[in-house]
Amino acid sequence: MGFADVGHPCLLYGHQPLNPKRLDYGFIGYHVPPVPRAARSARRRRGTFKKKVDDNQMCAFDLLATIAGKILLETDNTSTDSNSSSRKDPRVYLNNTVKNEQQVEEQELKGESYNQETGDRIFGTSDLGPQAPVGDCRLKEIQQSHTDTCSGLASVITNSDCSEKLGYAEKLVIGKTKNDIRSPHCNVDAVSSGCRESCDIKPEDESDSNRMIKTELHKCGNLVVGSGAEMMCSKEDPAVWDSKPSALVSSDMVKMPLCRDHIPCSSIPLCRHVLKLGSRDVDENSSRCNQPSTKIKAFRQPSRIGDRRIRKLLASKYWKVAPKSGDEELSNIDGESKPVYRIRKSCYKRQRSQRNFPFKKRKFSDHSSVSSSDGGISSEGISSSPKKGIIGETSEFGATQHGVKLRIKSFKVPELLIEIPETSTVGSLKRTVLEAVNAILGGGLQVGVLLQGKKIRDDDKTLLQTGISNDNEMDALGFTLEPSPAQSAQPLCPRESPFPICSNTPPPSTRYPATPTLIQGTCNAVPEPPLTNTGTLVESDHDSAPSPTDMSIEKSAADSKALVVVPEMRVEALAVVPVHRKSKRSEIVQRRIRRPFTVAEVEALVQAVEKLGTGRWRDVKLRAFDNAKHRTYVDLKDKWKTLVHTAGISPQQRRGEPVPQELLDRVLTAHAYWSQQQAKQKLKQQQTETCLLLENKI
DNA sequence: CTTAGGG
DNA sequence: CCCTAAG
């Protein structure tokens, strides 16, 4: 053949296995013929290997998408000067376009047929309710009164200084009102002081026009804050405050070094805006939720191609802030498979589809209806099988147990601190916030469970023991989203934490200081094991991967169950999610968080490749990373590619966690070996082909 | 769905 | 990591 045989890597180097496991493979491994395609397909069909990767992440994405669907950003600078100016045009559009009253009215009239093309999000800041004092921030009132009325996402936008053009921070609280869950519309409350008017759309007060608009929103994904009547009102009296402020408003100010001269924000007059949004797609969604599996599929099919396109468009744009991920432990160990996932397996077969689900969904359902909700934050799942609840029954109680139905009406999002130069544009602020949110939602969350406002830290307790099973307590049950432990502890570059919050290479002008979650006033440095542990649903996956998973749990919960709000909790965490929907057509497609391979993983990979060879990534995945849900065979292939490259460059040129030279040597060896094997095979193939040809001719 | 490669 | 063409 003209090729000198390259010895088996192991024989050549006699590497001592870093891992005892390595002993289990020997030279023989190289001679194992590749599994015939047919066989593989069969395996596939059998479900031997399914992508379950990043399910949790998906959840995060869903969540994000949901939140994103409700942008709350105010771009109107005019407000900075005073009530008067803002009064003239209380409405602020995301795209910076302010619509005139007429337009607004038209929209109202249009009602259901609200033109999607006008996809602008209107941030009305009007008030239809009783007049309230104006001028100062009346956060407290807001907080107290609205507990029941407000629903949906709540966002508090704090303007640290009204006179500062760009300085404001927002807090977003996800919450829902009692009546909202099913309602398709968005409820938005905008409360502000000083320069802004407040807008509180109370369910009861909803006018028809309101309803229409809202409905609209939910349909086309447009967000209208403050509608018709309210807007009008605000015009008349921009400074009117709603008498029923939202209880969801966080009292806690966003501390952002936005103020000039670093004046403590608290010392400056603040403009606060509270926006509450119901989840728009909920209802539609809910109707589909009954058949989850179908639902997703329906989407998937049509969106396949589009999906890719979308991803392509968006993928590269939003990952700058992607948290630097820590490492996972051993390949096989980690993984984020969560129990919840199992429950809804049918729905989320593909990590990818799942991940993009919200976006895709939206994109493709624009015409018809946004069925989305998908669980995100507020979707109300409908689960025909009660016992399957997220927090299903605990095993210990066996058959006697009653399933616990949980409704997750809202999640509290961890506080987000953002630092951005005052010279930044509003757009960049938006982007920054979005990125930060994406970073968090994309990977650094874990779930906390609250009962009566108290955090339940004992994960070993059963629901029964905790009182969660008690119906009376249900209302007091709440869930929080918090940064995963590692993050809180090591904000900037959490080494061990798989899901760091901050980006390792933040843009010059922005950065996300590590901010421990202040939820409940208690900083939970202590990792809260996922709710999962409590339930039986979990299929012992002993995944080590923390956060994202949790999200999935919640998500599932949301999907399959109802949503319940825990009102008493003060929401201090927030995230602002600006969304520019139409503008860039960009549905923020989140890029997967980066998770550098650990040495252990590399070891496992090398070992597997040595044995299986290159070109059989699926097998490699199965063999060495079956439990690492987030490592796809493509990832492994890519890693191998980079390993080969790395091995070929000088150590000085290498970046990231150094890979032991020994491993790199093995990489080169194996690579050479398998390359040769491939060449040989090709040759053989060619020979046989030619032989056949000749024979035929003869 | 998998591979193989380019980006 | 992402995206895609191919198979």
Side-chain angles (χ1 to χ4, degrees):
Chain A
M1 300 231 164
F3 284 95
D5 269 32
V6 176
H8 180 288
C10 290
L11 290 181
L12 281 179
Y13 290 91
H15 299 295
Q16 289 299 312
L18 296 180
N19 180 335
K21 274 187 188 172
R22 201 177 153 214
L23 294 172
D24 73 358
Y25 76 93
F27 202 38
I28 283 183
Y30 287 150
H31 300 294
V32 176
V35 181
R37 214 167 232 300
R40 293 197 210 175
S41 305
R43 259 192 300 191
R44 245 177 274 147
R45 281 190 290 275
R46 264 179 272 132
T48 312
F49 175 59
K50 282 187 179 169
K51 286 188 182 178
K52 311 173 201 171
V53 192
D54 289 349
D55 294 320
N56 18 7
Q57 212 174 317
M58 191 46 204
C59 297
F61 288 121
D62 287 349
L63 210 190
L64 176 60
T66 305
I67 297 176
K70 306 149 190 187
I71 301 172
L72 317 164
L73 246 194
E74 183 152 41
T75 56
D76 187 358
N77 287 339
T78 61
S79 60
T80 52
D81 43 40
S82 73
N83 298 343
S84 57
S85 62
S86 61
R87 194 170 304 175
K88 294 199 169 165
D89 213 309
R91 290 144 287 160
V92 179
Y93 301 81
L94 192 62
N95 63 355
N96 287 320
T97 320
V98 177
K99 300 205 169 177
N100 60 40
E101 186 178 276
Q102 189 177 354
Q103 284 176 307
V104 174
E105 288 176 357
E106 282 175 9
Q107 285 181 351
E108 290 180 44
L109 292 175
K110 279 184 184 174
E112 298 275 342
S113 57
Y114 178 13
N115 188 349
Q116 198 175 319
E117 291 176 14
T118 336
D120 306 300
R121 281 190 171 70
I122 307 169
F123 290 88
T125 43
S126 51
D127 181 287
L128 61 150
Q131 324 284 312
V134 191
D136 59 297
C137 311
R138 313 182 23 175
L139 203 50
K140 268 229 161 138
E141 295 177 20
I142 297 172
Q143 292 179 321
Q144 295 173 346
S145 47
H146 226 9
T147 323
D148 291 331
T149 20
C150 292
S151 68
L153 291 172
S155 167
V156 183
I157 301 173
T158 309
N159 190 327
S160 51
D161 182 351
C162 293
S163 58
E164 283 291 316
K165 277 188 180 178
L166 305 178
Y168 50 85
E170 302 181 1
K171 286 197 169 191
L172 180 141
V173 179
I174 303 167
K176 281 207 138 250
T177 47
K178 48 188 180 187
N179 57 332
D180 61 316
I181 286 198
R182 287 219 158 231
S183 74
H185 55 263
C186 289
N187 285 335
V188 178
D189 284 354
V191 182
S192 66
S193 66
C195 42
R196 296 276 172 197
E197 313 78 349
S198 73
C199 163
D200 180 7
I201 303 174
K202 290 166 283 181
E204 318 97 72
D205 293 336
E206 257 184 316
S207 64
D208 286 326
S209 60
N210 264 341
R211 197 179 296 277
M212 283 162 80
I213 290 185
K214 287 176 180 178
T215 304
E216 241 345 343
L217 279 178
H218 114 273
K219 279 199 172 179
C220 47
N222 291 324
L223 175 64
V224 179
V225 178
S227 53
E230 298 150 347
M231 289 191 164
M232 304 292 270
C233 281
S234 67
K235 274 199 164 183
E236 293 176 9
D237 191 339
V240 175
W241 280 75
D242 187 337
S243 57
K244 277 187 162 187
S246 158
L248 292 177
V249 177
S250 164
S251 57
D252 150 72
M253 288 186 184
V254 177
K255 295 162 190 169
M256 292 183 11
L258 295 175
C259 307
R260 191 166 296 190
D261 299 330
H262 300 287
I263 299 171
C265 295
S266 54
S267 63
I268 304 177
L270 302 179
C271 283
R272 291 170 186 276
H273 300 262
V274 181
L275 302 180
K276 294 186 181 182
L277 308 175
S279 67
R280 53 189 187 242
D281 329 313
V282 176
D283 59 339
E284 297 213 9
N285 211 14
S286 51
S287 54
R288 301 191 186 195
C289 282
N290 290 321
Q291 307 162 356
S293 45
T294 348
K295 174 177 158 193
I296 289 191
K297 257 196 171 167
F299 273 112
R300 176 113 194 116
Q301 307 266 1
S303 58
R304 228 181 147 162
I305 296 178
D307 172 23
R308 283 185 175 175
R309 283 193 196 135
I310 296 174
R311 296 187 63 187
K312 186 171 187 177
L313 287 174
L314 307 172
S316 54
K317 296 182 181 178
Y318 297 88
W319 54 284
K320 287 179 189 171
V321 195
K324 172 176 200 162
S325 65
D327 301 323
E328 299 283 319
E329 25 270 275
L330 287 191
S331 31
N332 277 331
I333 301 176
D334 103 66
E336 313 135 275
S337 62
K338 295 307 173 177
V340 177
Y341 172 70
R342 314 263 172 204
I343 298 176
R344 304 180 47 91
K345 218 186 245 169
S346 52
C347 297
Y348 301 60
K349 271 190 177 177
R350 293 190 26 162
Q351 117 184 62
R352 287 205 170 183
S353 55
Q354 184 181 356
R355 195 173 84 203
N356 299 322
F357 186 43
F359 307 108
K360 288 195 295 185
K361 203 169 25 173
R362 194 194 264 183
K363 183 146 203 163
F364 291 88
S365 49
D366 263 1
H367 328 280
S368 49
S369 55
V370 182
S371 57
S372 121
S373 84
D374 71 281
I377 293 179
S378 49
S379 76
E380 177 185 41
I382 302 139
S383 141
S384 33
S385 48
K387 297 276 172 175
K388 240 175 32 170
I390 285 215
I391 297 199
E393 51 267 306
T394 34
S395 50
E396 353 178 359
F397 297 89
T400 14
Q401 268 319 289
H402 296 297
V404 175
K405 289 188 184 178
L406 295 180
R407 227 181 198 209
I408 299 176
K409 272 190 182 175
S410 69
F411 279 116
K412 303 192 167 155
V413 179
E415 183 177 79
L416 202 52
L417 258 73
I418 294 177
E419 186 176 318
I420 187 170
E422 54 188 16
T423 50
S424 304
T425 63
V426 172
S428 71
L429 172 61
K430 290 180 182 178
R431 255 173 277 125
T432 302
V433 175
L434 178 58
E435 287 173 351
V437 172
N438 282 345
I440 288 187
L441 296 183
L445 292 175
Q446 65 175 21
V447 174
V449 178
L450 299 152
L451 191 57
Q452 304 286 19
K454 275 187 175 181
K455 191 152 201 164
I456 301 177
R457 293 171 183 284
D458 188 348
D459 296 303
D460 296 327
K461 276 190 181 177
T462 65
L463 298 182
L464 209 58
Q465 294 173 321
T466 319
I468 291 180
S469 56
N470 181 338
D471 287 338
N472 297 328
E473 307 286 323
M474 282 323 235
D475 285 342
L477 183 62
F479 297 90
T480 60
L481 299 183
E482 34 199 80
S484 43
Q487 291 183 353
S488 343
Q490 244 185 352
L492 281 185
C493 305
R495 242 203 62 231
E496 293 280 324
S497 96
F499 314 94
I501 266 190
C502 27
S503 84
N504 40 345
T505 47
S509 53
T510 62
R511 77 186 162 176
Y512 311 99
T515 320
T517 313
L518 298 184
I519 297 180
Q520 297 287 298
T522 16
C523 198
N524 325 299
V526 185
E528 295 277 350
L531 195 84
T532 343
N533 298 339
T534 339
T536 10
L537 313 171
V538 186
E539 168 196 332
S540 65
D541 240 1
H542 43 285
D543 301 318
S544 50
S547 52
T549 320
D550 307 342
M551 290 286 297
S552 51
I553 294 175
E554 305 223 350
K555 175 183 176 156
S556 314
D559 280 349
S560 56
K561 291 302 174 178
L563 308 176
V564 172
V565 180
V566 182
E568 43 253 280
M569 316 213 354
R570 205 104 265 171
V571 181
E572 336 218 59
L574 23 133
V576 179
V577 185
V579 176
H580 5 255
R581 200 183 148 210
K582 263 310 181 211
S583 54
K584 292 173 187 161
R585 271 236 124 190
S586 45
E587 314 296 318
I588 314 146
V589 174
Q590 177 79 56
R591 187 187 176 104
R592 282 196 299 159
I593 58 175
R594 188 170 171 261
R595 286 140 148 188
F597 276 71
T598 61
V599 172
E601 284 179 309
V602 171
E603 231 280 358
L605 175 60
V606 171
Q607 185 178 313
V609 173
E610 282 176 338
K611 184 162 187 174
L612 301 173
T614 54
R616 294 175 60 194
W617 302 110
R618 196 188 80 100
D619 295 321
V620 169
K621 154 76 178 171
L622 253 38
R623 179 190 182 83
F625 294 80
D626 200 20
N627 292 327
K629 313 300 179 193
H630 62 297
R631 301 292 189 203
T632 67
Y633 44 72
V634 174
D635 291 333
L636 301 180
K637 181 216 64 178
D638 286 342
K639 180 56 183 175
W640 182 259
K641 184 172 64 178
T642 61
L643 276 175
V644 171
H645 176 258
T646 302
I649 62 178
S650 69
Q652 294 78 41
Q653 294 176 294
R654 296 169 193 165
R655 291 183 297 177
E657 188 178 8
V659 177
Q661 188 58 44
E662 184 262 308
L663 277 177
L664 292 177
D665 289 340
R666 285 168 64 188
V667 167
L668 286 179
T669 304
H671 183 252
Y673 176 86
W674 287 107
S675 293
Q676 193 190 77
Q677 293 301 309
Q678 283 193 327
K680 278 185 183 177
Q681 250 198 328
K682 266 191 181 175
L683 261 181
K684 269 188 185 175
Q685 220 179 324
Q686 284 186 352
Q687 285 183 341
T688 48
E689 277 179 21
T690 46
C691 280
L692 284 176
L693 266 176
L694 286 176
E695 284 180 17
N696 284 335
K697 281 193 177 181
I698 294 174

